[in-house]
Amino acid sequence: MQEAPVLQMHGIRKAFPGVQALDGVDFEVRPGEVMALMGENGAGKSTLIKILSGAHSADEGQVFIKGQQVKISSPKEAQDLGVAVIYQELNLAESVSIAENIFVGREFRNRFGFIDNKTMNTRAREWLETLHIDLDPRLMVRKIGIARKQMVEIAKALSLDASIIVMDEPTSSLPTATSKPTELNEVEVLLEMIRKLRDGGKAVIYISHRMGEVFRISDRITVLRDGKLVGVRNTAETNPDEVVAMMVGRKLEDLYGHRSETPIGEKVLEVRGLNQAGRLYDINFDVRAGEILGLAGLIGAGRSETAMAVFGASKRDSGDILINNHPLAIKNPQSAIQAGIGYLPEDRKLQGLFLKMAIRLNISAADLSLVSSSGFLNANKERELSSLYVKQLNIRTPSIEQQARNLSGGNQQKVVIAKWLAVKPKVLILDEPTRGVDVGAKIEIYNLMHQMASQGMALVMISSELLELLGMSDRILVLREGRAMGELSRADATEEKIMTLATGVKTGS
């Protein structure tokens, strides 16, 4: 007999000016269950969680925790009711210890009223050991990696006696594989931690765009679309095709889109004998007009290092870079841009965008000469350029004056793409172009890539998602420990062949 739900939300409605964010949504999760909550950006996931966490109040609807109707008016009330939310942007103080983070606002004190660090460290260690985490609670949080910071957040949630733990995109900042096949990677460690929470009777609400993880870790899947409940499925009884169709109204087989029948042209970019001490060893490849070349490999294989060396963002020790058979003297990103090479970086927030600046300014940032007259910035040209690409790329924003930080992940990525389209590069390198964006935004980005290739641009795509590489690439170059291990054509490429080259271990027949 199934246990009664520890959380039930009935008929939840929430409107913001001009937007019905939630429209009569029902949602539940049971003790000892991982419930995946899925949907595109704008589907209502965040609003539902903010109502559960006390950050928003519902306009209509009822919330029951352990069978009792509750009204959650603040995060403190949610916490007192056993609800803990671990957000994508971790809520930890970097400059204080792990123990101080776990017990923030609830510090142990001695009989004189001073903070009792000894007791706090002892209790923090106990919570960490409960999760089988070998960490010194006295360590400053800034000294530990992202995966361990996630685990500190989990320990904090357990110390609050949380019965409902919400995890919002917990693996979005974690690498999906290590450089050594025998090494346990950070995503695996976190997923194992979630299994332990489930087996310990906790209810876990898991929000993620990574379909593979959802199917590995969840027991059931709830899908929202446009603020409405589309359906709930037992994970074992559904498949990614059905879930994608529920989320976006189209099948998984249509996810990667189709390119026009434009033939692949001559070599545009050629890299010969690229070396970088301790990182890259004699890398050779080329990419042709209208072609998408995929770069595959595990974390530490040298994919991003190769891209940055070609773009001039890091120094190469030797090697030749040619555009249209002409050798280039690329010493920095500016010389690469002038030669016709663009680079969409892996971390759009740190490297691709000026988050506090308007979309208008971000789109023109790669080449200010496009929006200048007689050496001075021309505001009209800037507005015309940005408005053109906002429309062409369907960037969802109320205004070109909107700050980039206020956009969804998918729309932020489209702003970075717009910046490069504006300078019309011959070669565009895209490093993890769909990381951290929802399925709908992925489809739009894939279609943009097809359009660019169809117009004769040469594309190099780095991705950690094998299905993405297989679905988008004309050829795939596989790197391992800074060396090119082999190249696969679209017709020959399989997940097993890629992983065999990437690891040096035969993974299948």
Side-chain angles (χ1 to χ4, degrees):
M1 183 177 177
Q2 291 181 337
E3 287 193 67
V6 66
L7 168 69
Q8 293 171 294
M9 303 177 79
H10 293 310
I12 304 297
R13 294 176 60 85
K14 180 66 179 180
F16 298 102
V19 178
Q20 185 69 45
L22 293 171
D23 190 2
V25 169
D26 294 336
F27 180 73
E28 69 170 35
V29 60
R30 302 167 186 145
E33 173 181 56
V34 177
M35 171 66 85
L37 179 58
M38 300 193 73
E40 296 185 70
N41 287 341
K45 307 185 302 294
S46 295
T47 303
L48 187 70
I49 294 308
K50 285 178 179 177
I51 289 169
L52 174 61
S53 69
H56 287 331
S57 296
D59 297 334
E60 296 178 29
Q62 300 169 309
V63 179
F64 295 83
I65 292 180
K66 297 179 181 177
Q68 299 296 312
Q69 186 171 351
V70 297
K71 184 172 178 60
I72 305 174
S73 302
S74 69
K76 179 66 167 62
E77 288 184 11
Q79 183 176 301
D80 291 344
L81 288 165
V83 178
V85 182
I86 301 171
Y87 290 103
Q88 184 176 353
E89 305 293 338
L90 297 178
N91 187 28
L92 295 173
E94 297 277 326
S95 59
V96 300
S97 72
I98 290 170
E100 288 170 298
N101 271 279
I102 290 174
F103 295 110
V104 63
R106 303 173 294 125
E107 293 83 0
F108 290 89
R109 296 184 180 273
N110 60 26
R111 59 195 180 95
F112 302 108
F114 296 108
I115 291 176
D116 185 348
N117 285 305
K118 184 177 179 181
T119 300
M120 199 151 62
N121 289 334
T122 299
R123 294 297 301 276
R125 192 182 297 278
E126 290 171 0
W127 285 116
L128 293 168
E129 287 176 352
T130 297
L131 295 169
H132 305 284
I133 303 169
D134 183 19
L135 273 178
D136 185 341
R138 298 169 296 180
L139 270 177
M140 295 294 110
V141 164
R142 66 173 177 267
K143 294 184 177 180
I144 62 176
I146 294 174
R148 292 186 170 226
K149 288 177 183 176
Q150 292 273 14
M151 292 168 194
V152 171
E153 285 274 27
I154 294 172
K156 181 165 68 172
L158 293 181
S159 76
L160 293 166
D161 196 26
S163 53
I164 302 164
I165 300 173
V166 183
M167 306 188 78
D168 185 5
E169 294 286 355
T171 65
S172 65
S173 298
L174 301 183
T176 55
T178 65
S179 59
K180 298 178 183 177
T182 56
E183 208 172 77
L184 193 62
N185 69 64
E186 293 181 326
V187 169
E188 294 297 333
V189 170
L190 187 62
L191 294 182
E192 183 59 30
M193 197 69 57
I194 293 169
R195 292 185 187 100
K196 289 174 182 173
L197 293 175
R198 176 189 61 194
D199 295 345
K202 303 296 182 184
V204 179
I205 301 171
Y206 189 83
I207 302 172
S208 178
H209 294 313
R210 290 182 172 178
M211 193 73 69
E213 289 170 14
V214 166
F215 273 82
R216 290 175 59 200
I217 196 64
S218 67
D219 299 293
R220 291 192 293 159
I221 301 171
T222 295
V223 179
L224 303 183
R225 185 169 77 226
D226 298 329
K228 296 182 174 67
L229 173 66
V230 178
V232 183
R233 299 287 186 271
N234 291 323
T235 306
E237 297 170 0
T238 186
N239 55 67
D241 199 345
E242 182 184 21
V243 173
V244 169
M246 292 169 71
M247 290 169 62
V248 300
R250 68 183 82 188
K251 295 180 179 179
L252 183 62
E253 64 196 42
D254 299 325
L255 179 62
Y256 300 107
H258 303 283
R259 205 176 319 163
S260 65
E261 296 300 319
T262 307
I264 291 173
E266 299 296 320
K267 290 180 186 178
V268 177
L269 171 69
E270 192 170 358
V271 177
R272 299 175 182 164
L274 181 63
N275 286 280
Q276 194 178 75
R279 292 185 173 184
L280 304 174
Y281 308 93
D282 196 32
I283 301 288
N284 295 276
F285 67 92
D286 61 67
V287 58
R288 298 169 181 268
E291 182 182 40
I292 299 176
L293 174 70
L295 284 191
L298 305 181
I299 298 300
R303 298 167 305 164
S304 295
E305 290 82 359
T306 298
M308 289 191 289
V310 171
F311 188 60
S314 65
K315 185 179 178 181
R316 65 185 190 279
D317 296 315
S318 62
D320 297 316
I321 298 170
L322 299 86
I323 292 281
N324 296 333
N325 290 321
H326 295 295
L328 303 176
I330 295 176
K331 297 181 179 179
N332 52 48
Q334 191 59 39
S335 60
I337 293 169
Q338 290 171 354
I341 302 173
Y343 175 46
L344 188 149
E346 180 179 10
D347 191 329
R348 60 179 171 266
K349 291 186 177 182
L350 287 179
Q351 300 169 304
L353 290 168
F354 299 104
L355 289 172
K356 295 183 180 180
M357 290 171 61
I359 293 169
R360 168 176 58 85
L361 299 171
N362 273 280
I363 289 177
S364 62
D367 188 354
L368 294 178
S369 69
L370 297 171
V371 291
S372 299
S373 299
S374 303
F376 294 95
L377 286 176
N378 185 314
N380 287 332
K381 284 186 175 183
E382 205 169 47
R383 282 191 289 270
E384 287 173 9
L385 183 75
S386 56
S387 296
L388 171 68
Y389 285 104
V390 164
K391 183 177 180 180
Q392 281 190 6
L393 275 62
N394 191 28
I395 298 171
R396 295 177 182 86
T397 176
S399 165
I400 59 173
E401 302 302 329
Q402 178 74 271
Q403 291 184 0
R405 64 178 176 178
N406 294 327
L407 301 178
S408 69
N411 284 300
Q412 285 181 346
Q413 196 72 311
K414 285 193 281 185
V415 170
V416 184
I417 293 172
K419 176 177 72 175
W420 290 114
L421 288 181
V423 302
K424 297 179 171 56
K426 297 171 184 175
V427 179
L428 181 59
I429 303 169
L430 303 106
D431 195 346
E432 301 287 0
T434 65
R435 174 168 287 173
V437 304
D438 64 52
V439 173
K442 282 186 177 185
I443 291 170
E444 291 186 292
I445 291 170
Y446 297 146
N447 286 335
L448 284 171
M449 291 173 65
H450 286 310
Q451 288 174 26
M452 290 185 276
S454 296
Q455 292 163 8
M457 193 181 297
L459 304 181
V460 179
M461 181 182 71
I462 299 167
S463 178
S464 298
E465 296 188 29
L466 293 184
L467 291 178
E468 182 173 82
L469 285 168
L470 293 167
M472 292 297 295
S473 305
D474 296 296
R475 289 182 294 134
I476 298 173
L477 178 69
V478 184
L479 304 184
R480 183 171 81 234
E481 297 178 353
R483 293 176 171 83
M485 304 310 298
E487 183 182 288
L488 300 167
S489 68
R490 176 189 284 270
D492 291 337
T494 64
E495 291 184 67
E496 290 79 13
K497 287 180 180 179
I498 292 172
M499 289 307 296
T500 296
L501 290 169
T503 64
V505 177
K506 191 170 180 59
T507 58
S509 58

